[in-house]
Amino acid sequence: MKYVLITGGVVSGLGKGVTASSIGVVLKACGLRVTSIKIDPYLNTDAGTMSPFEHGEVFVLDDGGEVDLDLGNYERFLDVTLTKDNNITTGKIYQSVIDKERRGDYLGKTVQVVPHITDAIKEWIESVAVTPVDGKEGPADVCVIELGGTVGDIESMPFIEALRQLSFSVGHDNFCLIHVSLIPVLGVVGEQKTKPTQHSVRELRALGLTPHLLACRSAQPLLESTKHKLSQFCHVPHGNILNIHDVPNIWHIPLLLRNQNAHKSVLKQLDLLCIATPPELKDWTKMAENYDHLTDSVRIAMVGKYVGLTDSYLSVVKALLHACISCSLRPSIDWIAASDLEDESAKSTPEAHAAAWETLRSAACVLVPGGFGDRGVRGMMLAAKYARENNVPYLGICLGMQISVIEFSRSVLGWEKANSIEFDAQTPNPVVIFMPEVSRTHMGSTMRLGSRRTLFQTPDCVTSKLYVQYGNSEYLDERHRHRYEVNPEYIGTLEEAGLKFVGKDESGKRMEIVELPNHPFYVGVQFHPEFKSRPGKPSPLFLGLILAATRKLVAHIHSHQNGC
């Protein structure tokens, strides 16, 4: 197995995940099979209990793993299906070691960070690296490992030591280290500064790891003098100084690396030049350049509770991007804090209230994504009601679906206090209830998670017609992450009133898809279709939303029904 390790220095948030994904894209374009591992040094077992405000979205995998959002980048860029074991955390490693100690596996030895924790890290990496993730048999050729955090962080020290040992044990020709660092420009001086990167590399070398390539983040392309200084003082060949400067969209990053012959440097280090082919990135280039030249856009109102940090909805944003590009449009996302739409906001913050409603009314479609807790729920209901009554295309995901059911129950059926028991345990009309098998005391990994099958109840529904282009109009497999579900006791009454539950699970008791007939596009889904959206292969539901917003949905469905 060949390993490519991506580390970061100077500051966090440099884009190590995109860099790791882009390196994988270029190597894959050279004819190699690639897998990925993300190391997160935090003590949490997984990302499931972490706040979206602090950590961004929780990405869900087919096997139910709640993982770091960088694994979403890997899946989208490389078109692979990862497992929860591809995300290593300090919590997972320590838990596995402590479990072994409790069983007596260490035969009375004193359990220490070195060698027991470091050995567990190496064993985990070597085990996961050979697990195929691309649907083919046998291990991949290259495993790209991203080490989260910044070199020098206390919590990452055991991982640095384990990776140092791994580099020694696998041999020089099987290990390539790429260090991502910042090249700042001070406003007063206007000069590209290399000193932060020099110090970062020096600290990395002091820990026993020497970078083979430098990936330098900067606003503008690096000057030759800057590259020369970096090469001289960081002991990295001039040709291995890569510059990842700001680009119009992140799909240019693999092209930027290709143009700087990054693949040749990596392949030479890994002794793979003899089996690799020149990188084939025609489709990728077309995708990146086409987006740059798009001029028309579509306005999308995103009504949520975590709009203060857009990474909270990263996969939703990417899915909208994929859908818009397939329609030759740029997404223009208007972020609306759900609480700003509520009546209380009109009194406390009237300007924000007026601006939120003006934004909502000027949007071509409305999307209410998932979330937890009761903050902003009334605002989401108002958004759903506005879309329903004014024939504005609407997509509700997870909580967004439940919101649409609650709003319909209140406005159409007249159940003024209808609610989810998540928000009101004493509601007389609990149209959304707690799932029976879910723990009420523990939060981590206790939801309905991962890929589950949904069976269409009728081939005439909009969702079925959208999914048929991917080869199946009878069922779909999408990823879930929820604790609450629509109460099956109310389904008959809701359907009589006009709300149709067109998708159910295999038992027929769990409502997965709801639609409102005679509406341009009013769909709510219990699952998260954004997690499986890919560049060039957008999620059917996101595509349907954008098509409906541009009044092209009927023609699209008709063309596919006729085999076009």
Side-chain angles (χ1 to χ4, degrees):
M1 175 60 64
K2 308 285 187 177
Y3 296 95
V4 177
L5 172 63
I6 311 291
T7 60
V10 184
V11 295
S12 60
L14 284 177
K16 293 192 303 297
V18 173
T19 302
S21 302
S22 300
I23 288 289
V25 167
V26 178
L27 293 177
K28 186 177 178 181
C30 291
L32 302 174
R33 293 174 61 199
V34 181
T35 186
S36 296
I37 294 175
K38 173 65 188 297
I39 297 175
D40 284 305
Y42 48 68
L43 275 171
N44 304 61
T45 301
D46 56 36
T49 59
M50 300 175 77
S51 167
F53 283 120
E54 180 175 329
H55 193 68
E57 77 167 2
V58 175
F59 190 80
V60 180
L61 302 170
D62 268 3
D63 66 357
E66 297 173 285
V67 296
D68 185 85
L69 56 81
D70 280 317
L71 274 79
N73 282 328
Y74 303 158
E75 285 205 342
R76 284 186 289 268
F77 270 61
L78 299 172
D79 195 19
V80 295
T81 303
L82 301 175
T83 71
K84 58 187 174 185
D85 289 338
N86 290 85
N87 191 195
I88 303 174
T89 68
T90 298
K92 287 181 179 178
I93 295 296
Y94 274 78
Q95 189 172 58
S96 68
V97 170
I98 290 171
D99 288 345
K100 285 184 178 180
E101 184 272 331
R102 292 290 84 186
R103 290 196 303 265
D105 292 359
Y106 295 114
L107 302 176
K109 292 181 179 178
T110 301
V111 181
Q112 298 173 290
V113 173
V114 180
H116 301 100
I117 294 295
T118 52
D119 283 351
I121 295 169
K122 288 188 294 180
E123 289 167 7
W124 195 303
I125 290 173
E126 291 175 319
S127 172
V128 173
V130 297
T131 303
V133 295
D134 55 3
K136 301 177 182 178
E137 294 184 358
D141 300 306
V142 180
C143 177
V144 179
I145 305 170
E146 179 194 346
L147 176 61
T150 307
V151 170
D153 293 346
I154 292 174
E155 57 263 32
S156 65
M157 290 302 181
F159 293 100
I160 292 281
E161 172 59 20
L163 291 163
R164 183 197 66 79
Q165 294 178 23
L166 181 67
S167 69
F168 181 74
S169 63
V170 300
H172 183 264
D173 292 342
N174 296 316
F175 194 87
C176 178
L177 171 54
I178 303 175
H179 188 57
V180 183
S181 188
L182 176 69
I183 305 296
V185 174
L186 298 182
V188 177
V189 182
E191 178 187 0
Q192 292 178 339
K193 292 294 184 181
T194 64
K195 192 65 72 176
T197 298
Q198 291 179 43
H199 285 302
S200 180
V201 170
R202 184 181 304 164
E203 184 156 12
L204 190 60
R205 288 165 64 90
L207 295 169
L209 286 171
T210 300
H212 301 104
L213 294 89
L214 284 181
C216 301
R217 286 285 289 111
S218 60
Q220 300 297 327
L222 288 186
L223 301 173
E224 281 301 311
S225 59
T226 305
K227 287 187 177 182
H228 179 74
K229 189 183 291 186
L230 286 167
S231 176
Q232 184 177 8
F233 293 108
C234 296
H235 300 272
V236 175
H238 185 277
N240 289 2
I241 307 290
L242 309 174
N243 180 208
I244 305 179
H245 54 76
D246 292 351
V247 290
N249 67 73
I250 62 171
W251 292 334
H252 281 282
I253 303 298
L255 307 179
L256 204 60
L257 294 172
R258 187 270 316 270
N259 294 342
Q260 297 176 70
N261 290 317
H263 57 290
K264 291 184 179 178
S265 298
V266 174
L267 294 171
K268 181 179 179 182
Q269 174 61 34
L270 298 177
D271 193 23
L272 288 172
L273 281 171
C274 57
I275 67 169
T277 60
E280 174 53 62
L281 287 168
K282 288 183 180 178
D283 291 341
W284 196 276
T285 303
K286 182 179 178 181
M287 180 174 65
E289 292 179 349
N290 283 352
Y291 180 64
D292 291 342
H293 296 105
L294 293 177
T295 54
D296 295 334
S297 62
V298 56
R299 295 191 65 177
I300 306 154
M302 178 92 82
V303 184
K305 57 178 64 180
Y306 310 123
V307 296
L309 179 66
T310 56
D311 270 2
S312 302
Y313 301 115
L314 183 63
S315 290
V316 174
V317 172
K318 297 300 182 185
L320 287 170
L321 176 64
H322 302 158
C324 286
I325 287 178
S326 70
C327 298
S328 298
L329 295 167
R330 279 180 172 269
S332 177
I333 301 176
D334 294 322
W335 299 90
I336 302 176
S339 55
D340 287 344
L341 294 171
E342 298 173 359
D343 294 339
E344 291 81 355
S345 175
K347 302 174 184 177
S348 57
T349 54
E351 291 183 1
H353 178 78
W357 273 102
E358 182 180 354
T359 302
L360 181 66
R361 293 189 180 105
S362 60
C365 57
V366 178
L367 193 154
V368 177
F372 299 93
D374 61 355
R375 183 173 57 82
V377 164
R378 289 190 297 276
M380 294 178 194
M381 289 186 201
L382 289 170
K385 182 177 182 180
Y386 167 80
R388 180 178 59 80
E389 292 181 343
N390 292 277
N391 288 328
V392 176
Y394 174 89
L395 176 60
I397 298 173
C398 198
L399 175 61
M401 170 190 171
Q402 297 170 8
I403 289 295
S404 66
V405 174
I406 297 170
E407 187 280 321
F408 188 89
S409 300
R410 292 183 177 187
S411 302
V412 178
L413 291 173
W415 300 340
E416 295 181 1
K417 294 185 178 181
N419 215 330
S420 165
I421 63 169
E422 180 183 8
F423 314 133
D424 180 7
Q426 307 302 319
T427 173
N429 300 109
V431 292
V432 178
I433 58 173
F434 202 81
M435 292 167 57
E437 72 272 32
V438 171
S439 171
R440 293 178 179 269
T441 58
H442 289 68
M443 295 181 68
S445 296
T446 57
M447 289 183 274
R448 189 170 189 240
L449 292 164
S451 181
R452 306 296 177 100
R453 178 153 293 183
T454 295
L455 304 179
F456 292 115
Q457 303 302 298
T458 170
D460 292 331
C461 65
V462 172
T463 309
S464 174
K465 293 173 182 177
L466 286 169
Y467 273 86
V468 73
Q469 63 181 293
Y470 291 138
N472 203 321
S473 60
E474 297 179 359
Y475 66 87
L476 58 86
D477 294 318
E478 293 282 10
R479 298 174 183 177
H480 291 66
R481 184 175 186 253
H482 63 104
R483 284 192 178 88
Y484 296 84
E485 60 189 3
V486 177
N487 191 341
E489 294 182 5
Y490 288 88
I491 300 306
T493 306
L494 288 166
E495 291 203 315
E496 287 177 8
L499 200 61
K500 302 300 180 183
F501 292 87
V502 299
K504 300 180 182 180
D505 77 337
E506 293 169 302
S507 72
K509 297 179 180 179
R510 289 205 158 99
M511 305 303 116
E512 297 282 1
I513 308 170
V514 63
E515 291 183 7
L516 188 64
N518 303 318
H519 190 285
F521 187 87
Y522 193 90
V523 179
V525 292
Q526 188 59 73
F527 47 82
H528 289 265
E530 67 270 23
F531 291 141
K532 295 179 75 170
S533 183
R534 299 285 184 268
K537 189 180 177 182
S539 162
L541 286 165
F542 281 84
L543 180 61
L545 178 69
I546 301 304
L547 288 169
T550 54
R551 300 182 181 181
K552 297 177 181 177
L553 178 60
V554 174
H556 173 84
I557 290 175
H558 182 71
S559 68
H560 280 280
Q561 285 178 331
N562 291 331
C564 300

